Amino acid sequence: MTSWLRKYCLLHRVVFTVSVTALLTPSLSADNGCASPSITTCNECLYRGPECGWCFQEGFLDGAQVNERCDIVANLVRKGCKMEFIDHPEVIVEVDTTQSSVQVTPREITIQIRPGSEASFILAVQQLDRYPVDMYYLVDVSASMQDNLDRLKSVGIALSQRMKEYSSDFRVGFGSFVDKPVSPYINVHPSKITNPCSDYDIQCRPAHGFIHVLPVTENVTEFTRVIQQQRISGNMDTPEGGFDAMLQAAVCQSEIGWRPEAKHLLLVMTDQPSHLALDSKLAGIVVPHDGNCHLENNTYTQSSNMEHPSIGQLAEKLLENSIYSIFAVEQVQYKWYEDLIPLLPGTYLGKLLPKASNLKDLVIEAYKKLLSDVEVEIVVQDHQAHRFQFNITALCPDGSRTQGRGKCSNVRPYQRVFFNITMGMKTCPVMEEEVLISVRPVGFNETTMVRVRPLCRCGCSERAGCLDEGGGPACDELGAAADCKPAGANLECSGRGTCVCGKCACDRSGLGTIHGKYCQLDDFSCPYEQGLPCGGRGQCVLGECQCSSGWTGESCGCPTSSDGCLSDDGVLCGGRGRCVCGRCQCDDPRRSGQFCEKCPLCNGSCQSHWRCVLCHLSYGLSAMGAKECNTTCSSTVHYVDDISGSTGDSSKRCLYPTHESCHCVFQMDSMQGITDILISRHPECFSSQRYIPTFTLVFFLTVLLGLSLIAGLKFLLIQRSQTPGESTIAVYHVTKEKSYVPTPTEKMITYRREQPPEMHIHVHKMPLNEAWQ
């Protein structure tokens, strides 16, 4: 067995194992795409998805609806259906090893696949050292290409000599193009049609879409003679009809003379971009290109009737006919063709120097680069392409992998490239016909044919009991109808079904399945977790959760594995707890975290020894307690009457709360990493009288602060009550006149003494600014 075949068989052994495992592992999703009340047949069940199976076992879920026969395979087994009675078509990949090939292996593959499934296979491709080569020159002969055409007349022989170093048999051919010979691409004046260069007193040939001049030949002298006979032509617009000519050169195999065993090189020389599909509407041409050869007398006859081909259509024809394309363009149009290259497989773009001085080196470099790149393209029949999807991974000789398009570069002769191709079928073909798919290495004349046989029908239809319904004797032939009541029951079918012909037909419930001989069983009377029966990690059968592999518990909420409790060093809960229901339960209540690694209170040295102190206190600080607790404590503990005088630099005084208002005093002494604890036999209690002076002082300070704030606020209110600028100054006038009458701005103040006379003081109010004047 060859090495690639060993890799192929090994890969498919793995794929098969994965598929079987997937069948036996229940879905953890709450959405079961196989369960639907509308399913009544096996075929309808298989259309639901690749995970669905149909149980045709007689008596399965006695009394339940027929749609209960469709479910995930693991669920059917759990419900009691044996594997031999489950219709679940598997993907089968068969490789035809009878057809030998040097470059592409294998040549034919047959795949049986059902909708929604995937199948994988490996394709091995290798380049040879020296191929026969057919190169066809396709040259733009518009007037601007005169210098390049002159250069081509002298380069043919030199290029043939150079190509003999890389090819065992080199042949060349020639064809020319300009543009579609219709308005507005050319001037349709009669004199311009025959000679587009008449304004310049130059005799030019008429414009043409494509003319095949010379089939590929090994006669280089004939090639040189034909080139020397070529004349330029002319057109009016800038783009040329290069794509029209390329498609004809690709599909006209016999006319061009492409050899089946040779590498096909199509060298396109131009200084302008090409017209694309739909450009021809300017000339009133609306018929799409049919992709066929239309050469008569070596001239393309449908240039005036059919549109330019699309890029996709051109790429398909180049791939179909195993043609490498080489674009030799000038600097001005290099960017336009650079954007085009990713759309055309097996294409090389080279920059043509003035007068095509580098044409020989450009062709050699392009040929070496094209042969060192190995990639594959997949071709599906147009009306079936939407039903399939593909993923390609290339395994290159240097050990690298490329996904997506699948391409390896810098591949040397006789090095093999392996392509791992995964194909998925979305839907079944309408007639369930065999679909042909071609896997084509770009530029190779060998392909791999993949025959896809859809599995869209149930095999159980050919066996008895596919639907497990009908075919039995009629009710009148059964004699007395069997009793639909269990012993001691008053309701037929447990009140959840109908008695038909002596058997219970159970009701349909939106909560789950009701089944059993007397409809006494269901699969939804189980504990819920996170809104799902059995937490979505098991199946509810007969009122009890049957958990999936790796789960346990009443509601399947606990994983059986303790992997989630292993810390980074592989220790269970970091050695500080136990694994309970997949989570760490810490031994120390102060600890938390996934692996009991967090303990904010453990960082303080006092709190870390509270547990040890508590042990000694529980024994009343007795000798027996010291003996018992010292065996469990990490530190050595001694009892003292007073520790106030034994405090040193390495000592720390700590308190342990024993009861209200009292603490146990202990001291830690650390010497060379060893901790000794001294516990005082006399607890330290605090009297409530110690707090009276403090309370009294705080009370008076609070009252004093409050009074100060009130006084300050009152002072501010008085200041704000006076209007700014209206302050008054009292001017006192002393007079003894009794007849004086005060003005509205004056006030009479009378002072009475023991002896008359009276003295009157007049207070006159005036604005502040007047008083100072």
Side-chain angles (χ1 to χ4, degrees):
M1 182 182 293
T2 59
S3 59
W4 76 263
L5 193 56
R6 290 193 188 95
K7 293 183 179 179
Y8 177 80
C9 294
L10 178 59
L11 173 68
H12 280 275
R13 198 175 300 123
V14 173
V15 171
F16 177 75
T17 303
V18 171
S19 64
V20 172
T21 304
L23 297 181
L24 297 179
T25 303
S27 172
L28 300 183
S29 173
D31 298 328
N32 186 350
C34 305
S36 174
S38 62
I39 298 176
T40 58
T41 65
C42 179
N43 290 340
E44 292 176 356
C45 177
L46 297 190
Y47 270 108
R48 302 291 294 187
E51 71 278 5
C52 300
W54 179 268
C55 178
F56 58 92
Q57 178 177 311
E58 186 176 357
F60 174 68
L61 290 182
D62 193 15
Q65 301 293 330
V66 67
N67 66 283
E68 299 297 335
R69 293 182 173 274
C70 182
D71 205 337
I72 299 173
V73 175
N75 294 346
L76 293 176
V77 174
R78 191 170 288 109
K79 292 178 181 178
C81 186
K82 298 180 180 180
M83 281 296 297
E84 58 265 28
F85 294 104
I86 297 177
D87 202 321
H88 184 275
E90 295 181 353
V91 175
I92 300 176
V93 179
E94 297 178 350
V95 179
D96 186 0
T97 58
T98 60
Q99 300 185 39
S100 60
S101 174
V102 177
Q103 302 179 83
V104 182
T105 311
R107 296 299 302 275
E108 184 170 324
I109 299 175
T110 302
I111 299 178
Q112 297 183 23
I113 190 172
R114 59 183 291 187
S117 298
E118 292 183 344
S120 297
F121 59 92
I122 285 184
L123 188 72
V125 181
Q126 73 170 356
Q127 290 276 20
L128 302 181
D129 188 9
R130 294 169 63 85
Y131 287 95
V133 176
D134 294 340
M135 187 169 73
Y136 191 81
Y137 288 82
L138 188 58
V139 181
D140 175 8
V141 294
S142 58
S144 58
M145 288 289 291
Q146 179 67 64
D147 292 340
N148 294 332
L149 189 61
D150 293 340
R151 175 63 178 171
L152 188 60
K153 296 175 182 178
S154 60
V155 79
I157 297 178
L159 180 60
S160 298
Q161 294 295 330
R162 285 288 305 277
M163 283 299 295
K164 289 182 180 180
E165 301 177 12
Y166 305 96
S167 172
S168 59
D169 184 6
F170 181 69
R171 299 184 182 185
V172 292
F174 182 82
S176 65
F177 69 92
V178 182
D179 208 341
K180 289 185 178 295
V182 293
S183 178
Y185 306 124
I186 67 169
N187 191 330
V188 293
H189 190 275
S191 62
K192 297 291 185 180
I193 293 178
T194 57
N195 183 15
C197 307
S198 58
D199 291 344
Y200 304 98
D201 297 329
I202 300 175
Q203 185 62 39
C204 293
R205 64 194 296 187
H208 53 276
F210 169 63
I211 293 180
H212 169 48
V213 181
L214 177 69
V216 291
T217 177
E218 58 185 355
N219 190 342
V220 181
T221 303
E222 177 65 15
F223 173 78
T224 303
R225 186 188 65 81
V226 169
I227 295 296
Q228 292 174 349
Q229 294 177 352
Q230 298 304 308
R231 290 180 299 158
I232 61 173
S233 181
N235 61 332
M236 296 184 64
D237 66 336
T238 298
E240 315 292 5
F243 285 178
D244 250 349
M246 287 181 67
L247 191 140
Q248 291 302 301
V251 299
C252 298
Q253 291 276 309
S254 58
E255 289 82 354
I256 301 299
W258 298 114
R259 292 176 293 172
E261 71 278 7
K263 289 289 185 182
H264 304 157
L265 302 181
L266 181 60
L267 174 62
V268 181
M269 295 179 60
T270 181
D271 62 348
Q272 298 296 340
S274 176
H275 280 294
L276 304 175
L278 303 182
D279 284 358
S280 305
K281 292 186 182 297
L282 294 174
I285 302 174
V286 296
V287 178
H289 203 293
D290 60 4
N292 296 324
C293 178
H294 298 283
L295 286 183
E296 293 183 10
N297 297 323
N298 294 329
T299 302
Y300 177 38
T301 59
Q302 296 299 316
S303 181
S304 303
N305 301 323
M306 287 187 180
E307 283 232 36
H308 294 281
S310 65
I311 296 178
Q313 189 178 27
L314 178 61
E316 179 184 353
K317 294 303 178 182
L318 292 173
L319 180 65
E320 182 180 323
N321 294 279
S322 307
I323 293 178
Y324 288 122
S325 300
I326 303 174
F327 287 100
V329 300
E330 295 186 353
Q331 172 68 35
V332 179
Q333 302 301 333
Y334 187 85
K335 177 61 178 175
W336 191 89
Y337 283 95
E338 188 177 32
D339 296 336
L340 179 71
I341 294 303
L343 306 177
L344 297 175
T347 303
Y348 179 86
L349 175 62
K351 194 177 297 182
L352 197 62
L353 298 180
K355 298 184 180 181
S357 59
N358 65 327
L359 180 61
K360 179 177 60 177
D361 295 333
L362 188 151
V363 173
I364 297 296
E365 181 64 27
Y367 179 70
K368 293 165 60 178
K369 180 68 171 63
L370 289 172
L371 258 64
S372 67
D373 291 342
V374 179
E375 62 179 316
V376 296
E377 292 286 336
I378 298 177
V379 180
V380 188
Q381 297 165 318
D382 291 340
H383 65 287
Q384 303 288 6
H386 66 284
R387 305 184 190 278
F388 297 90
Q389 59 184 8
F390 299 90
N391 182 40
I392 304 175
T393 301
L395 289 77
C396 303
D398 59 0
S400 62
R401 292 171 177 261
T402 58
Q403 290 186 344
R405 187 173 181 179
K407 178 179 179 179
C408 293
S409 301
N410 301 321
V411 179
R412 296 192 299 271
Y414 300 108
Q415 286 186 331
R416 277 183 173 170
V417 178
F418 295 93
F419 294 94
N420 183 8
I421 302 175
T422 301
M423 180 196 71
M425 187 174 71
K426 301 176 183 178
T427 59
C428 276
V430 178
M431 302 301 294
E432 300 181 15
E433 57 185 350
E434 182 178 84
V435 180
L436 298 180
I437 299 175
S438 297
V439 183
R440 299 181 177 180
V442 176
F444 285 71
N445 55 8
E446 296 180 2
T447 63
T448 296
M449 183 63 63
V450 180
R451 301 182 181 274
V452 180
R453 296 174 181 173
L455 299 174
C456 302
R457 292 185 177 274
C458 283
C460 74
S461 59
E462 303 173 358
R463 302 186 291 267
C466 185
L467 297 180
D468 195 36
E469 60 182 6
C475 289
D476 56 350
E477 298 177 356
L478 292 175
D483 189 6
C484 293
K485 299 179 183 179
N490 297 325
L491 297 176
E492 289 185 350
C493 302
S494 303
R496 303 195 294 182
T498 304
C499 186
V500 179
C501 296
K503 291 186 177 181
C504 286
C506 302
D507 296 337
R508 180 175 294 167
S509 172
L511 299 176
T513 303
I514 301 174
H515 60 99
K517 182 178 180 180
Y518 302 110
C519 301
Q520 77 278 17
L521 306 176
D522 62 64
D523 62 356
F524 51 84
S525 300
C526 287
Y528 275 63
E529 183 173 316
Q530 298 178 352
L532 300 174
C534 302
R537 294 179 285 265
Q539 294 295 322
C540 182
V541 179
L542 307 180
E544 294 183 359
C545 286
Q546 292 189 1
C547 302
S548 307
S549 176
W551 297 92
T552 185
E554 183 182 7
S555 57
C556 301
C558 295
T560 58
S561 173
S562 59
D563 293 343
C565 298
L566 295 177
S567 57
D568 295 338
D569 55 1
V571 180
L572 193 69
C573 298
R576 296 178 288 268
R578 296 173 292 109
C579 189
V580 179
C581 197
R583 295 183 178 181
C584 286
Q585 189 176 76
C586 304
D587 295 333
D588 191 339
R590 295 173 299 167
R591 291 192 172 274
S592 61
Q594 183 179 1
F595 306 113
C596 301
E597 73 279 7
K598 299 178 181 179
C599 187
L601 297 179
C602 296
N603 295 331
S605 58
C606 290
Q607 289 87 341
S608 61
H609 295 285
W610 278 6
R611 189 172 184 178
C612 183
V613 173
L614 177 61
C615 177
H616 287 272
L617 291 176
S618 63
Y619 284 95
L621 302 182
S622 62
M624 183 180 65
K627 181 179 180 181
E628 291 292 334
C629 296
N630 280 339
T631 59
T632 59
C633 294
S634 59
S635 305
T636 303
V637 179
H638 305 281
Y639 307 143
V640 296
D641 292 327
D642 185 14
I643 62 173
S644 59
S646 59
T647 302
D649 295 337
S650 61
S651 302
K652 184 174 183 180
R653 188 174 185 270
C654 301
L655 298 177
Y656 175 76
T658 54
H659 53 82
E660 186 177 359
S661 302
C662 291
H663 296 78
C664 174
V665 182
F666 66 96
Q667 176 181 300
M668 296 182 302
D669 294 324
S670 297
M671 295 295 293
Q672 297 180 353
I674 302 175
T675 303
D676 289 335
I677 298 178
L678 304 179
I679 301 179
S680 176
R681 293 190 177 91
H682 306 290
E684 188 175 283
C685 299
F686 303 95
S687 173
S688 60
Q689 294 181 357
R690 297 179 55 184
Y691 299 100
I692 294 178
T694 303
F695 174 78
T696 303
L697 178 61
V698 172
F699 173 76
F700 281 108
L701 288 176
T702 303
V703 172
L704 181 60
L705 180 61
L707 293 175
S708 301
L709 289 175
I710 293 174
L713 290 174
K714 185 176 181 180
F715 176 78
L716 292 176
L717 291 175
I718 293 174
Q719 290 294 325
R720 290 187 178 182
S721 63
Q722 297 181 1
T723 305
E726 294 296 330
S727 301
T728 60
I729 297 177
V731 180
Y732 298 93
H733 302 276
V734 180
T735 179
K736 294 184 179 179
E737 297 180 2
K738 297 182 179 180
S739 62
Y740 182 81
V741 179
T743 62
T745 60
E746 298 177 343
K747 183 178 180 180
M748 180 69 72
I749 302 176
T750 302
Y751 293 91
R752 296 186 181 275
R753 298 182 179 178
E754 296 179 355
Q755 297 178 356
E758 298 180 352
M759 180 180 292
H760 301 280
I761 299 176
H762 304 281
V763 180
H764 177 70
K765 298 180 179 179
M766 64 179 63
L768 181 62
N769 54 1
E770 294 182 8
W772 287 103
Q773 290 179 356

